[in-house]
Amino acid sequence: MVNFLIFGPPGSGKGTQSVKLAEKFNLVHLSTGDMLRAEVAAGTELGKRMSSIMSKGELVPDEVVIEMIAVRVDNTKDSAGFLFDGFPRTVAQTVALEKMLNKRGMRIDLMLVLDVDHDELVSRLVARAEQSGRPDDKDPAVIENRIDVYKSKTEPIIAYCRDRGIYQPVNGMGSIQDIFNRLCDQMKNYPQTPLKGG
Ligand code: B4P
């Protein structure tokens, strides 16, 4: 069992890369953004409450995402490993994740941090808005707010993980394939990383 975090600002490519990495390394991909958008799309009570927070580019409350992740981890605990995408996003979520994993005899093995220039983040999200229709990509002020929220609330996790010796920065500029290759180079250093089919 090996557990990775994929980390970085909005638009850094976490979701894009996670789909490819989970397939290659046979990991369960858990994206809190996807889970929350599914709640909104299904019109659940939770989705209705979270939708206005997300459309402003703010973070939903810690306890909401911690509970969502705990349920998924318990439902798939016989898997070869997890790839956490967009979670944790606060130090409190990180502490909760560590506790949740430790209780089940697991830990966070590596935090992969995608480094991407500010202008590139904005241009990727503006481009995505045209196809995705995501309300949080449509308004440039909301994009800037998401980047500010990342800096103030999410980035402090880097120092926390660096102290634990699990922080690994990765250049997130360039083609999707080049970035994927850089991430794979880091992940395959883990002897217990399961490769699909063997
Ligand atoms: P997320 O769904 O996590 O989304 P994100 O940060 O916007 O995007 P990501 O980095 O995954 O970008 P992607 O690969 O898609 O969060 C959305 C919202 O949900 C948050 O703002 C928050 O409100 C809420 N939320 C989620 N998790 C939470 C938590 N734990 N706690 C509290 N709130 C939470 O890439 C973006 C675009 O760039 C795509 O169009 C892609 O095609 C393109 N792209 C990717 N790589 C590229 C490359 N190398 N070159 C060119 N384009 C590229």
Side-chain angles (χ1 to χ4, degrees):
M1 169 67 81
V2 59
N3 299 305
F4 298 100
L5 306 185
I6 188 150
F7 197 89
S12 57
K14 303 181 293 286
T16 305
Q17 297 294 338
S18 293
V19 172
K20 290 163 70 68
L21 293 168
E23 159 73 14
K24 180 174 172 83
F25 293 107
N26 202 18
L27 299 166
V28 175
H29 172 205
L30 295 179
S31 158
T32 41
D34 288 349
M35 291 172 202
L36 290 164
R37 280 186 291 277
E39 295 283 342
V40 173
T44 63
E45 252 339 287
L46 179 71
K48 282 180 197 150
R49 281 192 283 124
M50 297 308 122
S51 124
S52 68
I53 301 176
M54 292 169 71
S55 62
K56 288 188 214 120
E58 297 294 330
L59 296 180
V60 309
D62 287 338
E63 57 276 16
V64 170
V65 283
I66 291 167
E67 175 61 22
M68 283 192 328
I69 286 282
V71 170
R72 300 308 197 285
V73 167
D74 279 338
N75 286 345
T76 40
K77 57 175 181 260
D78 296 329
S79 69
F82 292 98
L83 178 61
F84 295 97
D85 159 15
F87 177 87
R89 257 178 158 98
T90 60
V91 172
Q93 290 181 19
T94 316
V95 173
L97 176 63
E98 276 191 320
K99 270 197 198 146
M100 189 193 307
L101 293 176
N102 292 346
K103 242 171 61 188
R104 294 160 176 83
M106 302 187 269
R107 63 188 178 131
I108 304 168
D109 292 281
L110 189 65
M111 174 209 220
L112 296 151
V113 182
L114 291 168
D115 286 330
V116 178
D117 294 350
H118 176 273
D119 290 354
E120 173 70 9
L121 296 174
V122 175
S123 96
R124 287 183 193 175
L125 294 174
V126 167
R128 180 170 68 183
E130 286 175 16
Q131 306 118 36
S132 71
R134 270 176 59 168
D136 56 344
D137 288 343
K138 272 190 191 142
D139 180 348
V142 172
I143 292 178
E144 290 299 340
N145 187 41
R146 287 159 65 195
I147 296 172
D148 287 349
V149 168
Y150 172 79
K151 286 189 183 143
S152 61
K153 297 197 172 147
T154 307
E155 227 169 35
I157 302 172
I158 291 180
Y160 183 91
C161 287
R162 195 187 273 130
D163 286 349
R164 279 162 172 64
I166 57 172
Y167 162 68
Q168 180 59 57
V170 174
N171 179 1
M173 298 288 287
S175 74
I176 289 172
Q177 189 58 41
D178 285 349
I179 298 162
F180 178 65
N181 292 341
R182 287 175 207 141
L183 290 163
C184 290
D185 282 346
Q186 295 300 330
M187 290 169 73
K188 69 186 182 209
N189 290 336
Y190 279 75
Q192 67 278 51
T193 306
L195 262 176
K196 197 158 190 179

